[in-house]
């Protein structure tokens, strides 16, 4: 597999690669930096299988003392992740919905609460759950392509972002921008996303991984322990809120998703997506 | 009465007008958009009568399935609303103060918690309670006239904005800007208000209603149900706080307003206003 | 002692000076404005003695009806305050740590909760606890010298800013900027600090005290009572949080600071500082 970018002048480091189906993970043990590349065509949908693999990969890295940071990006062109896989929410059993939603929660709890430094290298569009992945990292760099957009656009599909998507969003962009963007289900082109603070910086697409490595090095210059405790202090309230209401949140999701009106609007949306191909 | 602006090319829609004393309400049933025009000379003070009519009008529209959004503006030149009517707070009985304050609360609970899309077309100055009305909408467009100003300037009168004015303000501009602006009782000229995020955009006064209609159309493009649930998610904590402390808040208001020092400073302010005419 | 700057044209006012060791306090009774100058060479470290004197001085002014506002600045060149005195946290007894931490809390409770108008005239660098002093004021003016920097850089030393440092920071710059800056332990050069909202404005160093006096006059133009109640409304939640968890916070500090790894990293840092001289 291709190696992650290395600062010039450094010797090539031993590099361990995990074999996975939907996410390619490479750990550069010399720098302590792992790279996670989403490679689930056509659009890196967050299916149950994808989410499970994502959580397991995060857990493995979290428990690996050689790993201190993760860069998350996409191996596919033009798309970072299209968000939750709608087929998992359509015409399935209650048991399936429960399992799926628990996997969405699990992924977020692991990523938002990760003790590693997490940098999103957003090299394509990133709607809904894809946006949540980016928002949950410590730093977001996006390719400066105005055709790429990012946002929590759930409202456009007739569904509502759960409270912990909202909490994560508010922590990044503040209450006012979140209120407006969530109600309109806005997908913000990269330049606008930068202006709103949804992403931290834009760089030309070909410089994205290089920049991500540089940012990562800056964050890793800090002593891990103090940085981790600080991160926990900033994020604990929002993490605890989901932990405290996890079963209730699953129940809410199932009640909502099981409504015939919602099922109908999701089916309509899926048909639209199929026609687009 | 003059008709609200219509997108070009649409047939003229049936338009229902409510007869009111202080607020002119027109509902365009084809677009689902109502226009509320404050017309209580000289300065659209929020008197008990005005507030009661405002709440009843909002309730009527809320219960009218043909109505999905409201544009709030002023029928008077240069002033959106001068805020709470000081004569209602000066030399009156405890019963009157109670009734008045409950009406202020009621108006805010209805407006901030409205399930309709609410757009403020701020076509004049908007101090204190007038600013609260604008802050409680989903979107604020202001005439780009630097002579028009907006802000919660209560501190300048020697009084204190109640906690739910403050909560609404913080949700729009953030803690720091709110802290400074409230302590100084600042009235921000339109360009500064835009810069602080107190209003969302400025347009030339003659384009204000056209712009408000365009913004409304953008918000109404979203499915109502998802948008409403999202709005509730964003605003519920702040709404619930007043609901939980409503009687206490009335009691606080009465205790404060009954102080001789406050009464004196309000009388002084009223005399100053009279002389200005 | 040199007199605080006076608006031109005003007669020289009676001026009372408190005798202190580490902080020079002058009260201009005609304007109601006190000036506090930190003069504890070499770097205005917040030692136990300094903090005790700071709190007593604040208390004296608070209880002096002739005093309505305080300008806080440094009498030393290039440094506002270097923050908590590390020698107080290194190789001392539990009793000493307890006394020291209580003094840090006490200073912040008095300053952040002061009913006076507090303006920081930041005329030099201001890391860690020095930054907290500035953040706790009502308004921050900084000398526009890019060599001066400000920030809560605790993480760089391997320690963690306590939750009430964090709460104060979030109230000024918002959650996102605080999260990033605290994790990186960033020291922001003056121009960047202005951009992030960490300070309110920059002026040339020689205009700093003049500007501080002008800002103070603007804030004092408001009636004290309304301004004070407004300030309390904005800051009470964060103040109450420390009051409710004060003993627990002391215990946390002691447990943390007593760790051999932390002691080691503080000793290392002190040696580095000594070599720098």
């Amino acid at each position: 597999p291709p190696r992650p970018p290395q600062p010039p002048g450094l010797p090539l480091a031993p590099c361990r690669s995990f074999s996975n189906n939907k996410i390619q993970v490479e750990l550069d043990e010399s720098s302590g930096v792992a790279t996670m590349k989403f490679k689930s065509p056509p659009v890196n949908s967050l299916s149950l299988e994808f989410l499970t693999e994502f959580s397991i990969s995060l857990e493995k890295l979290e428990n690996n003392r050689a790993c201190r940071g993760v860069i998350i990006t996409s191996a596919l062109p033009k798309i970072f992740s299209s968000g939750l896989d709608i087929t998992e929410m359509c015409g399935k059993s209650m048991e399936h919905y429960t399992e799926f939603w628990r996997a969405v929660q699990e992924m977020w709890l692991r990523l938002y609460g990760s003790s590693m430094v997490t940098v999103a290298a957003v090299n394509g569009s990133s709607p809904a759950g894809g946006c949540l992945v980016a928002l949950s990292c410590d730093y977001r760099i996006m390719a400066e392509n105005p055709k790429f957009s990012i946002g929590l656009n759930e409202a456009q599909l007739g569904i509502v972002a759960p409270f912990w998507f909202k909490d994560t969003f508010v922590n990044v962009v503040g209450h006012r921008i979140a209120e407006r963007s969530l109600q309109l289900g806005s997908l913000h082109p990269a330049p606008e996303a930068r202006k709103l603070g949804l992403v931290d910086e834009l760089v030309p697409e070909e410089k994205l991984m290089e920049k991500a490595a540089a940012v990562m090095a800056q964050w890793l210059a800090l002593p891990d322990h103090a940085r981790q405790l600080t991160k926990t202090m900033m994020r604990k309230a929002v993490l605890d809120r989901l932990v405290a209401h996890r079963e209730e949140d699953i129940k809410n999701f199932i009640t909502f998703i099981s409504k015939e009106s919602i099922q109908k609007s999701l089916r309509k949306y899926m048909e639209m997506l199929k026609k687009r191909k």
Side-chain angles (χ1 to χ4, degrees), chain A residues 34-275:
Chain A
T35 305
M36 274 192 167
K37 283 192 179 157
F38 297 161
K39 48 153 198 170
S40 179
V43 289
N44 291 328
S45 291
L46 305 175
S47 63
L48 177 55
E49 198 188 334
F50 187 107
L51 289 163
T52 305
E53 195 178 310
F54 195 1
S55 289
I56 290 175
S57 299
L58 284 170
E59 190 186 8
K60 270 190 200 167
L61 295 173
E62 200 81 53
N63 294 331
N64 184 340
R65 299 203 54 178
C67 181
R68 299 175 62 214
V70 195
I71 296 170
I72 299 177
T73 193
S74 165
L76 308 183
K78 296 183 193 165
I79 189 89
F80 178 71
S81 161
S82 66
L84 303 186
D85 187 341
I86 293 175
T87 62
E88 305 278 14
M89 303 191 261
C90 228
K92 295 287 199 299
S93 68
M94 297 295 150
E95 289 69 33
H96 186 85
Y97 293 151
T98 302
E99 194 185 358
F100 176 65
W101 200 246
R102 200 182 295 281
V104 180
Q105 294 175 334
E106 186 66 24
M107 178 276 289
W108 178 77
L109 289 169
R110 286 206 173 276
L111 183 59
Y112 197 63
S114 173
S115 70
M116 301 178 285
V117 174
T118 50
V119 173
V122 184
N123 54 344
S125 284
S126 198
C131 177
L132 180 75
V133 169
L135 288 171
S136 302
C137 290
D138 291 313
Y139 199 83
R140 285 157 288 287
I141 310 163
M142 192 167 178
E144 66 182 357
N145 186 336
K147 286 186 186 163
F148 296 163
S149 62
I150 185 169
L152 294 176
N153 64 323
E154 281 80 353
Q156 293 235 14
L157 283 65
I159 61 179
V160 181
F163 71 87
W164 40 286
F165 281 49
K166 180 265 288 176
D167 288 344
T168 311
F169 199 24
V170 168
N171 272 356
V172 173
V173 297
H175 191 279
R176 171 56 189 157
I177 291 173
E179 185 184 87
R180 181 175 160 191
S181 185
L182 281 173
Q183 282 197 67
L184 290 172
S186 303
L187 283 176
H188 305 285
E192 189 178 289
R194 170 68 195 89
K195 227 173 132 189
L196 297 175
L198 214 163
V199 298
D200 294 297
E201 60 183 309
L202 303 184
V203 296
E205 195 167 350
E206 66 275 15
K207 304 254 181 180
L208 200 55
M209 293 310 290
E210 189 185 324
K211 182 74 198 182
V215 166
M216 180 60 80
Q218 184 199 6
W219 285 66
L220 290 183
L222 277 287
D224 279 342
H225 190 61
R227 190 193 47 70
Q228 286 161 357
L229 289 174
T230 305
K231 183 171 177 175
T232 301
M233 178 171 66
M234 296 305 298
R235 299 193 167 187
K236 196 174 184 307
V238 159
L239 287 162
D240 283 354
R241 216 177 144 202
L242 177 58
V243 171
H245 298 283
R246 200 163 172 181
E247 298 311 312
E248 194 186 325
D249 180 60
I250 293 175
K251 220 176 124 186
N252 281 347
F253 170 72
I254 296 179
T255 307
F256 187 75
I257 213 69
S258 308
K259 280 183 190 159
E260 188 39 39
S261 59
I262 301 299
Q263 285 291 314
K264 201 172 151 186
S265 100
L266 291 178
R267 278 196 303 267
K268 220 170 167 179
Y269 188 76
M270 285 204 296
E271 273 157 36
M272 191 198 74
L273 289 181
K274 273 181 207 160
K275 273 177 202 155

